[in-house]
């Protein structure tokens, strides 16, 4: 991989290469030209010097001998810096650089180029290395014809070429230094000029890097040059677009997460490997500890092999379609799981939606139980009525007393069915009203006192003492008066019914923090712990000692109480046993809210309360005869399903006092406590 260089280095090196390319050819050209011109100039000087020497030699007196000539040329050479040689027929007779005694040892110069050329009468020149002196010389020679008493020969003058070379070297060195200075100056200038550009580019690079790391609000403000302005604008525009898209994605993600986490259904998303990728809050609430199962399989998260098997089959199937399954997780929890496959770039994936159908299954079970219980409760009295009626028709008894007993049994069973149907109507009406019940300020103490007065005859008949601990102080609560009467009648009637003779049933009330709590307690056999919650279910009855006998109850009274209290926004519960030693006694508590002063119809002192009749009773209340009979004539009541007020007969879990009890007849009876 090629080494990456910085832009600054590339610019400087590029400038240098440009300078080299621009200056090197002229340098080589001028060097060659200069060398040629300097050499020509040196040859011309040598020619001038040889002419000058010839003139001096011609003007000189006659030399006595060649020794004197050698001394003269030696002196002249010292003064002019040139080498002077006199050659006759190839023999050197005088040389300024060679002693006279050694001249005879010099080789023949007749064939020297400049000498050969000079013999023709022209000026002979040559440049070559001198073996005698051991250096390059420029030679110039001319012909001499017998002057100064000398034999005709050739006068040769030689200039050392080193002088020319030195001059050329000095000139070349100057050019090289000038060239190097130009390179250095251009490099320094390039560094200075590119510094702002590089700083701007570094700023752009840092901004682009920051944008790439998620700082989408970062912008390039300092643009180093016009050429980079489009790039800067493009980066800024890209950052703006990314920021806008990211903002939109975050909004969409927030909305999807809100929908995802706001769903009541649990959602599990599986990756292509069939492992949990994500889930919503509803699913973590459904399965304890599943929030730590990211990356696990559905089997590891739910411990349901059948779910894992379906997931595996759908993941490997190329044409898988959505399906669903139901599973029971125990503890009354049931789920319907919808499996929806989808495909993306990673492969086949899946979404699992967990629908909690526990309540639906519970309601379905309650419906089935309700139908079964109603059918069972109606079947028994109907069978009895049918049997006695058929007996009266087919074999009428001769005794009038026996016929009256048959008719009383038929009437008692009919009253029992009437009570149960009326109770069902009250329960259905309260459930239908739900939150639509118009709540007003009601004096709960007065309603409780009225109910105690109504049921005193029933209590006296069983030698049970009713203790009213409420007092005369009004206890104002937000309630529907008729519904409140229904609740207290059921609770007091149950307490009297299940209390042994010569015991007491007490009512009390407390008020604190805007809440009023009313209590009905007895000294009956109590309620087992496992039944404390179930006694408020429809048709639930306690069966003590497994005798399976009945007391005329349909098991709807406490269910009606709970429905009415819940529609008032209150609460109802039971505490039992009250005596830890004997494990007996039960206390039913009803909590209702006190009205605020700004609530309509209240003045804070009970004014405007729904107080009932003149004696504190409601004109529509039927009194203690809760079996639906007229107290004087014993005729059955007529069901009024469309009546606006609750049916006067409470769901008292015992036969009313107006019903004669015949132990020897078919019909309700026995000790079990009813719900």
């Amino acid at each position: 991989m090629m080494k990456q260089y910085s832009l600054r280095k590339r610019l400087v090196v590029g400038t240098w290469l440009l300078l080299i390319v621009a200056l090197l050819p002229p340098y080589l050209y001028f060097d060659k030209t200069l060398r040629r011109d300097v050499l020509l100039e040196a040859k011309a000087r040598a020619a001038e010097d040889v002419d000058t020497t010839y003139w001096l030699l011609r003007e000189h007196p006659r030399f006595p001998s060649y020794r004197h000539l050698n001394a003269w040329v030696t002196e002249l050479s010292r003064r002019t810096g040139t080498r002077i040689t006199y050659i006759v027929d190839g023999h050197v007779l005088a040389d300024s650089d060679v002693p006279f005694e050694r001249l005879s040892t010099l080789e023949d110069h007749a064939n020297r180029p400049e000498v050969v050329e000079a013999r023709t009468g022209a000026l002979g020149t040559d440049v070559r290395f001198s073996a005698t002196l051991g250096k390059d010389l420029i030679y110039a020679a001319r012909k001499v014809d017998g002057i100064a008493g000398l034999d005709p020969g050739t006068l040769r003058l030689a200039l050392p070429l080193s002088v020319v070379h030195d001059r050329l070297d000095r000139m070349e060195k100057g050019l090289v230094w000038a060239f190097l200075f130009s390179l250095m100056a251009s490099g320094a200038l390039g560094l200075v000029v590119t510094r702002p550009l590089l700083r701007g580019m570094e700023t752009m690079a840092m901004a682009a890097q920051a944008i790439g790391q998620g700082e989408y609000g970062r912008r390039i403000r300092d643009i180093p040059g016009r050429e980079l302005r489009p790039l800067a604008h493009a980066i800024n525009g890209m950052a703006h677009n990314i920021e806008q898209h990211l903002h939109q994605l975050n909004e969409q993600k927030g909305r999807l997460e809100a929908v995802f986490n706001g769903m009541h259904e649990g959602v599990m998303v599986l990756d292509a490997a069939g492992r949990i990728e994500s889930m919503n809050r509803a699913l973590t609430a459904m399965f304890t500890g599943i929030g730590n199962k990211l990356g696990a399989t559905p089997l590891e998260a739910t411990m349901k092999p059948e779910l894992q098997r379906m997931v595996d089959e759908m993941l490997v199937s190329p044409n898988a379609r959505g399906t669903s399954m139901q599973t029971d997780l125990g503890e009354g929890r049931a789920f319907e799981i919808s499996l929806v496959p989808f495909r993306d770039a990673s492969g086949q994936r899946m979404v699992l939606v967990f629908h909690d159908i526990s309540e639906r299954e519970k309601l379905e079970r309650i419906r089935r139980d309700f139908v079964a219980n109603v059918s069972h409760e109606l079947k028994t009295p109907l069978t009895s009525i049918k049997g006695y009626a058929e007996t009266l028709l087919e074999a009428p008894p001769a005794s009038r007393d026996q016929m009256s007993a048959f008719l009383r049994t038929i009437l008692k069973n009919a009253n029992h069915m009437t009570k149960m149907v009326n109770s069902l109507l009250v329960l259905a009406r309260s459930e239908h009203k739900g939150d639509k019940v118009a709540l007003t300020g009601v004096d709960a103490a007065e309603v409780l006192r009225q109910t105690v007065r109504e049921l005193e005859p029933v209590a006296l008949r069983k030698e049970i003492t009713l203790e009213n601990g409420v007092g005369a102080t009004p206890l104002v609560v937000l309630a529907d008066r008729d519904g409140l009467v229904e609740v207290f009648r059921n609770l007091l009637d149950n307490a009297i019914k299940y209390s042994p003779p010569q015991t007491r049933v007490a009512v009390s009330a407390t008020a604190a923090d805007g809440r009023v709590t009313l209590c009905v307690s007895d000294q009956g056999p109590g309620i087992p712990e496992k039944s404390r919650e179930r006694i408020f279910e429809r048709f639930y009855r306690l069966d003590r000692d497994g005798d399976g006998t009945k007391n005329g109850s349909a098991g709807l009274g406490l269910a009606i109480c709970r429905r009415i209290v819940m529609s008032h926004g209150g609460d109802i519960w039971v505490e039992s046993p009250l005596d830890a030693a004997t494990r007996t006694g039960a206390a039913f508590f009803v909590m209702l809210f006190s009205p605020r002063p700004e609530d309509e119809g209240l003045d804070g002192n009970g004014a405007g309360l729904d107080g009932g009749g003149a004696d504190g009773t409601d004109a529509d209340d039927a009194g203690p005869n809760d079996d639906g009979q007229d107290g004087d004539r014993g005729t059955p009541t007529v069901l009024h399903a469309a009546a606006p007020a609750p049916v006067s007969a409470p769901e008292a879990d015992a036969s009313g006092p107006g019903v004669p009890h015949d132990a020897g007849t078919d019909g309700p009876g026995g000790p079990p406590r009813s719900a």
Side-chain angles (χ1 to χ4, degrees):
M1 183 176 179
M2 295 182 62
K3 186 177 180 180
Q4 299 295 323
Y5 293 98
S6 66
L7 180 61
R8 174 177 291 182
K9 289 183 178 179
R10 292 184 179 184
L11 290 175
V12 172
V13 172
T15 304
W16 285 348
L17 292 176
L18 180 62
L19 287 175
I20 292 174
V21 171
L23 297 179
L24 186 59
Y27 169 78
L28 296 176
Y29 172 76
F30 286 116
D31 179 72
K32 182 178 180 181
T33 303
L34 187 61
R35 285 182 175 277
R36 185 187 63 220
D37 292 344
V38 170
L39 185 58
L40 291 176
E41 182 182 355
K43 289 182 177 181
R45 179 191 168 192
E48 291 177 355
D49 288 347
V50 74
D51 288 340
T52 302
T53 303
Y54 175 78
W55 179 80
L56 291 174
L57 185 60
R58 189 181 60 185
E59 296 297 326
H60 194 278
R62 183 182 180 84
F63 290 100
S65 63
Y66 283 103
R67 181 182 292 274
H68 289 86
L69 176 62
N70 191 69
W72 182 78
V73 297
T74 301
E75 180 63 19
L76 183 60
S77 173
R78 185 181 66 80
R79 293 180 180 272
T80 60
T82 58
R83 177 186 178 187
I84 303 172
T85 306
Y86 190 73
I87 303 168
V88 176
D89 296 332
H91 299 287
V92 179
L93 299 181
D95 194 317
S96 59
D97 290 346
V98 179
F100 183 76
E101 290 78 10
R102 293 183 51 203
L103 293 177
S104 58
T105 62
L106 297 178
E107 60 184 11
D108 191 352
H109 284 46
N111 296 323
R112 298 291 192 267
E114 68 278 6
V115 175
V116 173
E117 187 177 0
R119 281 203 299 265
T120 62
L123 179 64
T125 59
D126 191 21
V127 178
R128 68 176 183 277
F129 179 78
S130 173
T132 303
L133 299 180
K135 57 184 178 180
D136 293 328
L137 296 175
I138 299 176
Y139 295 96
R142 65 171 297 169
K143 182 178 180 181
V144 177
D145 295 326
I147 59 173
L150 301 176
D151 295 327
T154 303
L155 177 62
R156 190 183 69 177
L157 187 139
L159 293 176
L161 194 59
S162 60
V163 176
V164 177
H165 286 169
D166 291 342
R167 182 181 175 186
L168 290 174
D169 291 340
R170 287 194 301 270
M171 295 177 67
E172 287 181 351
K173 188 179 294 185
L175 290 175
V176 170
W177 280 110
F179 182 71
L180 294 177
F181 177 77
S182 299
L183 292 178
M184 294 176 62
S186 62
L189 184 61
L191 294 176
V192 173
V193 170
T194 57
R195 180 176 298 176
L197 175 64
L198 293 178
R199 286 182 179 176
M201 294 182 67
E202 290 177 357
T203 303
M204 291 177 62
M206 293 174 62
Q209 185 177 9
I211 292 171
Q213 293 175 353
E215 298 181 21
Y216 301 115
R218 189 79 171 267
R219 296 293 183 271
I220 300 174
R221 309 297 181 187
D222 184 15
I223 302 176
R226 184 176 62 185
E227 293 79 4
L228 297 177
R229 188 171 300 163
L231 176 61
H233 292 334
I235 295 176
N236 289 338
M238 177 186 66
H240 175 74
N241 292 335
I242 293 176
E243 186 177 19
Q244 292 296 322
H245 292 162
L246 186 62
H247 180 68
Q248 294 176 0
L249 290 176
N250 288 334
E251 287 185 348
Q252 294 177 1
K253 180 181 178 182
R255 289 194 294 267
L256 290 176
E257 287 183 350
V259 173
F260 193 57
N261 292 321
M263 294 175 61
H264 295 292
E265 295 81 5
V267 179
M268 177 189 297
V269 181
L270 305 182
D271 59 16
R275 296 188 174 273
I276 300 175
E277 185 178 82
S278 62
M279 65 187 71
N280 66 346
R281 296 175 185 170
L283 189 65
T284 59
M286 292 177 180
F287 297 91
T288 304
I290 198 173
N292 301 323
K293 298 293 186 179
L294 292 177
T297 62
L299 175 62
E300 297 170 338
T302 63
M303 304 304 294
K304 289 294 177 181
E306 61 273 17
L307 175 60
Q308 183 65 49
R309 184 166 54 253
M310 292 187 67
V311 169
D312 294 339
E313 292 175 357
M314 295 185 69
L315 285 177
V316 298
S317 176
N319 299 319
R321 302 181 64 181
T323 185
S324 62
M325 61 173 291
Q326 290 189 6
T327 183
D328 188 1
L329 299 182
E331 300 179 357
R333 300 172 62 202
F335 290 92
E336 181 179 358
I337 307 175
S338 299
L339 297 86
V340 182
F342 68 97
R343 183 173 295 275
D344 61 6
S346 61
Q348 183 91 330
R349 302 177 61 188
M350 192 174 302
V351 175
L352 279 64
V353 182
F354 292 74
H355 304 270
D356 191 346
I357 58 174
S358 304
E359 188 66 22
R360 188 179 75 185
E361 292 294 316
K362 179 181 177 182
L363 293 176
E364 181 65 22
R365 184 174 63 255
I366 292 175
R367 185 190 66 81
R368 291 193 300 267
D369 294 344
F370 174 77
V371 172
N373 288 328
V374 170
S375 301
H376 177 73
E377 294 296 332
L378 292 177
K379 181 180 180 180
T380 301
L382 282 174
T383 301
S384 179
I385 291 172
K386 180 181 179 182
Y388 281 101
E390 289 176 348
T391 301
L392 290 174
L393 289 174
E394 296 175 0
S399 171
R400 183 177 180 84
D401 292 338
Q402 189 176 7
M403 182 177 293
S404 297
F406 282 8
L407 292 175
R408 283 196 300 271
T409 301
I410 292 174
L411 179 61
K412 183 168 60 176
N413 283 279
N415 287 337
H416 175 69
M417 290 190 297
T418 301
K419 282 170 47 181
M420 183 172 62
V421 173
N422 285 340
S423 298
L424 289 173
L425 289 174
V426 171
L427 183 60
R429 190 157 46 242
S430 65
E431 290 180 344
H432 176 69
K433 288 181 179 180
D435 296 333
K436 299 178 182 179
V437 176
L439 303 181
T440 59
V442 178
D443 186 357
E446 174 59 31
V447 174
L448 198 53
R449 285 193 296 270
Q450 169 192 332
T451 308
V452 170
R453 286 195 300 269
E454 292 176 356
L455 295 180
E456 278 180 345
V458 182
L460 290 175
R461 193 174 295 117
K462 288 191 66 175
E463 299 180 4
I464 293 174
T465 303
L466 291 181
E467 296 181 357
N468 187 359
V470 175
T473 304
L475 294 174
V476 184
V477 296
L478 280 174
D480 172 63
R481 178 180 175 79
D482 295 335
L484 201 59
V485 169
E486 190 77 24
V487 171
F488 290 154
R489 279 180 180 173
N490 276 290
L491 294 179
L492 278 170
D493 189 77
N494 277 350
I496 294 171
K497 182 190 306 181
Y498 297 112
S499 295
Q502 298 180 353
T503 58
R504 64 181 179 85
V505 173
V507 294
S508 60
T510 58
D513 299 329
R515 301 180 181 184
V516 176
T517 304
L518 303 113
C519 175
V520 177
S521 61
D522 61 50
Q523 295 177 336
I527 299 172
E529 182 178 357
K530 64 180 181 179
S531 299
R532 290 176 193 169
E533 290 298 328
R534 296 202 62 193
I535 59 173
F536 294 102
E537 296 179 4
R538 302 176 185 181
F539 299 107
Y540 183 79
R541 290 189 297 264
L542 295 178
D543 186 8
R544 299 184 182 277
D545 301 328
D547 57 7
T549 57
K550 300 179 182 178
N551 59 359
S553 166
L556 294 171
L558 291 179
I560 293 174
C561 292
R562 182 178 66 172
R563 181 64 255 178
I564 294 174
V565 172
M566 290 178 62
S567 68
H568 289 28
D571 194 12
I572 183 171
W573 69 94
V574 63
E575 294 182 2
S576 180
L578 301 181
D579 189 339
T582 61
R583 307 294 295 176
T584 59
F588 285 84
F589 294 87
V590 175
M591 188 279 294
L592 297 171
F593 289 96
S594 301
R596 296 170 298 181
E598 62 268 20
D599 288 330
E600 183 179 358
L602 298 179
D603 60 4
N605 295 317
L609 300 180
D610 187 359
D615 61 351
T617 63
D618 195 321
D620 295 333
D621 292 337
N625 292 330
D626 59 349
D627 58 355
Q629 282 185 279
D630 187 282
D632 297 330
R633 291 181 295 212
T635 58
T637 60
V638 179
L639 295 179
H640 296 287
V647 177
S648 61
E651 188 2 83
D653 296 333
S655 298
V659 179
H661 182 69
D662 187 353
T665 61
D666 272 349
R673 165 164 290 211
S674 166

